[in-house]
Amino acid sequence: MKKDIDIPVVEGVYIAAVKVFQKEFKRDEWNAYIINDKDVDLELVLIVAQGFSKDKKTTLMRHKIDKLPAKSYAKIEYLQDDVLALKNTFKVSFFEDNKMFDKTFTFKENAINDKAMQPVPVIGVPGVLTK
């Protein structure tokens, strides 16, 4: 029975943590973005984000994006400095061509930092990428 279930593999979709300078507060801050590097639009994108460690857990944050166009990105949330030391997961579900896709993206503890920055597709700025 299980062999008959088709579970599609998610490709071309990423979560990135990007450091952005906030003029209002005159400081750098990390923000999480979802990136659609595909040539097709993603529909009804649902994201559940949470940070946790052995003794700490953040509140579940839920986000919805009705449509994420091809070769585009959208901000998910601001990442507080305290959360960067935790393991951060982003459970992403979306529809592509009327087929549902699902994947969990994970940043390990302390993985979001300046030393881990690399080029981020579509956004065109450096950041920390998880696939």
Side-chain angles (χ1 to χ4, degrees):
M1 276 312 241
K2 285 186 179 181
K3 65 181 172 101
D4 297 327
I5 299 172
D6 179 31
I7 301 172
V9 176
V10 174
E11 294 177 343
V13 177
Y14 314 105
I15 300 291
V18 176
K19 197 178 230 184
V20 178
F21 182 74
Q22 288 297 333
K23 294 177 188 175
E24 184 177 336
F25 302 111
K26 297 180 180 154
R27 68 188 281 297
D28 288 326
E29 66 181 30
W30 290 96
N31 290 295
Y33 292 85
I34 183 166
I35 301 166
N36 178 9
D37 197 17
K38 295 174 166 273
D39 292 324
V40 296
D41 298 344
L42 307 182
E43 296 180 17
L44 191 58
V45 181
L46 302 174
I47 304 164
V48 178
Q50 185 172 38
F52 58 92
S53 66
K54 287 183 181 180
D55 54 346
K56 292 182 182 178
K57 187 187 291 189
T58 66
T59 302
L60 278 175
M61 301 295 287
R62 293 176 177 87
H63 309 276
K64 176 185 163 200
I65 302 167
D66 290 322
K67 184 177 183 180
L68 186 61
K71 301 293 183 182
S72 71
Y73 60 93
K75 181 179 173 181
I76 301 170
E77 64 187 26
Y78 161 69
L79 299 170
Q80 294 180 344
D81 292 339
D82 297 350
V83 175
L84 301 180
L86 305 175
K87 182 177 189 178
N88 287 279
T89 61
F90 295 83
K91 297 177 183 184
V92 178
S93 300
F94 61 89
F95 285 92
E96 176 188 328
D97 296 328
N98 290 324
K99 192 175 211 179
M100 186 174 190
F101 289 76
D102 184 69
K103 183 173 180 176
T104 299
F105 298 88
T106 303
F107 289 103
K108 294 181 181 177
E109 298 89 347
N110 298 304
I112 301 171
N113 62 64
D114 290 337
K115 293 178 183 175
M117 291 175 72
Q118 62 180 320
V120 175
V122 181
I123 297 177
V125 297
V128 181
L129 190 66
T130 185
K131 299 178 181 182

